[in-house]
Structures are given as structure tokens and as C-alpha cells.
Amino acid sequence: MKTSWSKRLFVASDILIAIYLLLAFVSFDKKGDPKALCSKVNIDIADNAAGGFLDAKVIKERLQKTGFYPIGRQLKDVDTRGIEEMLRRSPFVKTAECYKTEGGYVYISVTQRMPVIRIKADNGDDYYIDNKGVAMMPENYTADVAVATGRISKRYAAKNLVHLARYLHTNDFANDLVEQINVAPDGRVALIPRIGCQVIQMGKLDSLTLRTQMQNLRVFYDKVLPTVGWNTYREISLEFNNQIVCKKN
């Protein structure tokens, strides 16, 4: 008798578990309804205020143009991997992630490559480079960064100019001061400031001495030029160790 009741209890418990699993599956299926439509797209651009080319509007337009915009589509038809791969093909996109959530939401998170300098070389090359030295074509976008002109190969820009560009991009004084960089045929670099009529000669760029050169220049602009006059000198040379040599107008 005890064995019979044990079997009945065992069978009853199996039935209850089966019912529970069925209800859980149905409940989950309703939450993840494959016919549910995408009702909202959230686009997050990292460092959006730091001078990059991308914003949510640009990403939305690119999604619409390529047929990937998810609003109004069934969630099961939203190709998250396709969206990521399409966005990563942009020269301005560093990383892209896309995922779906309950409630019909699609989230897109993008980190962008930040331009630090624009190259307009004598050979006709015109592009931006980011802080890693990666080239980016302008594509009708503009960024408020210094422009480098002269004899500039892509290798020179990625290996040499990027160090100067990174310094300008992270130092407020240098960034506000320098408007243009010119590379002479012999490799010597000159800076053209936004104010004053002088040319700042850097010599051949050396990442090891760059910071010291720019710190000396800061002291010169803070303490010397306000005293002698902003247009006293036509050339300021930082080529020599720990000294500044000037030529008067």
C-alpha cells in the first residue's frame, strides 16, 4: 500500500513539474514573442562631445541608407550582427555592438576614432589620422584640428606627426596656439600659430624632446612675448636643447 501511494505521489510530482515547465515556457515565449516589433532604437556614441565625426543622427542615417534600420521590423528579423559589421566598415568607427531586449528595444553602442590632425600633403593626399595613426578619409566631414601641409608620406604621418598631433590634442595651450604644421622637404617641421606673425621652428620631430620643446614655448609665450610685443619676432626656434633662438622682424 505504501509503495502504491509512493508511486502515485511520484507520478503526481512529475505531472506538476511538467505543468510548471509548460507554463514557464509559455510565459517566456510571450515575453520573447518572435512577432514582436522593434519599437525603439537607442544609439549611444562614446566621446560624442570630444570632437569626433559621429553622432546618433549620422548612425541613424547610415542604418536607413543600408536597410538595417530596425524600427517597425519584427525583432526576429533585426540582424544585430549585420548592423555591427556594417558600422565597423566605417573608417570613423572603432567598435560597434548591437543587441535586442524585451519590450521591442534595440540598443546600438559605438566608439569612434578621434581625429587629431588633418593631412593635406603636397602630393594631393587629404585625410585625417586618429591618435593611433590610422588614416580616415574626410567624406565631407570636418574637424577642428590642426592641418599639416608639405611633403608628408602616410608613413611619416603615422610614425612622426601623430606624436605631435596627440600632444596638441591633449594640451590646451598647444591646441589653442597651433593652427597649421608645415613639413619641409628636409623633414624640418614648422608650426604656424593662430596669433602673431612668427613661425615656430621645431626642427626634425623627436618624440623624446617634444614635451620639453612645448613646455619651453609655453614659458616664452607667457613671460617673454607679453613684454617685448607679440610681433617683435618673425621666427622662434626650438631646435636647440633647452634654449629658444629668435629672429627679429
Side-chain angles (χ1 to χ4, degrees):
M1 189 72 176
K2 289 183 178 179
T3 303
S4 177
W5 275 107
S6 297
K7 287 183 178 179
R8 289 179 183 179
L9 288 172
F10 184 77
V11 171
S13 63
D14 280 352
I15 293 173
L16 289 174
I17 291 172
I19 292 173
Y20 171 79
L21 291 174
L22 177 62
L23 291 174
F25 176 79
V26 171
S27 175
F28 177 81
D29 188 55
K30 285 182 179 179
K31 290 181 180 179
D33 184 359
K35 294 183 180 180
L37 300 180
C38 173
S39 59
K40 183 177 179 180
V41 177
N42 186 77
I43 301 173
D44 178 62
I45 312 293
D47 299 323
N48 191 31
F53 293 120
L54 301 178
D55 57 27
K57 181 181 178 182
V58 171
I59 297 297
K60 179 179 178 180
E61 290 174 349
R62 184 156 295 183
L63 291 169
Q64 291 172 327
K65 184 177 180 180
T66 55
F68 280 103
Y69 194 59
I71 287 290
R73 292 188 175 187
Q74 291 184 357
L75 281 179
K76 67 181 182 65
D77 293 330
V78 175
D79 184 1
T80 55
R81 179 170 294 183
I83 289 173
E84 291 174 348
E85 291 176 351
M86 182 276 295
L87 291 175
R88 288 171 188 154
R89 285 195 290 270
S90 168
F92 308 128
V93 173
K94 186 176 181 181
T95 65
E97 292 185 60
C98 179
Y99 59 92
K100 297 175 276 191
T101 65
E102 293 179 3
Y105 288 8
V106 172
Y107 284 82
I108 299 171
S109 178
V110 172
T111 60
Q112 57 183 320
R113 299 187 185 280
M114 302 303 296
V116 293
I117 192 170
R118 184 166 187 170
I119 308 298
K120 302 192 77 168
D122 287 349
N123 62 6
D125 285 346
D126 184 359
Y127 55 94
Y128 290 93
I129 57 175
D130 71 1
N131 60 358
K132 301 295 184 182
V134 178
M136 304 181 291
M137 301 308 293
E139 291 189 8
N140 297 320
Y141 295 112
T142 58
D144 185 19
V145 294
V147 176
T149 58
R151 185 170 294 182
I152 306 171
S153 67
K154 289 185 177 180
R155 178 179 175 81
Y156 180 84
K159 297 293 184 180
N160 298 85
L161 281 180
V162 68
H163 297 294
L164 175 58
R166 278 202 297 254
Y167 187 89
L168 297 181
H169 196 67
T170 57
N171 183 278
D172 289 340
F173 163 75
N175 189 53
D176 291 341
L177 176 67
V178 179
E179 181 175 40
Q180 183 178 337
I181 302 162
N182 187 69
V183 181
D186 63 359
R188 295 171 69 245
V189 172
L191 308 181
I192 312 300
R194 299 179 191 272
I195 57 174
C197 61
Q198 58 271 56
V199 174
I200 302 166
Q201 297 291 349
M202 299 287 291
K204 293 187 177 182
L205 290 179
D206 184 344
S207 60
L208 298 177
T209 60
L210 174 61
R211 183 176 296 275
T212 299
Q213 286 179 304
M214 298 306 293
Q215 288 173 342
N216 290 340
L217 183 65
R218 174 66 185 267
V219 172
F220 185 80
Y221 266 81
D222 285 346
K223 298 186 178 299
V224 178
L225 286 184
T227 301
V228 302
W230 291 94
N231 295 317
T232 299
Y233 303 111
R234 60 183 172 84
E235 184 176 287
I236 301 170
S237 177
L238 307 174
E239 295 184 62
F240 308 100
N241 290 335
N242 293 319
Q243 60 178 314
I244 296 177
V245 179
C246 301
K247 294 181 180 179
K248 288 187 175 182
N249 281 317

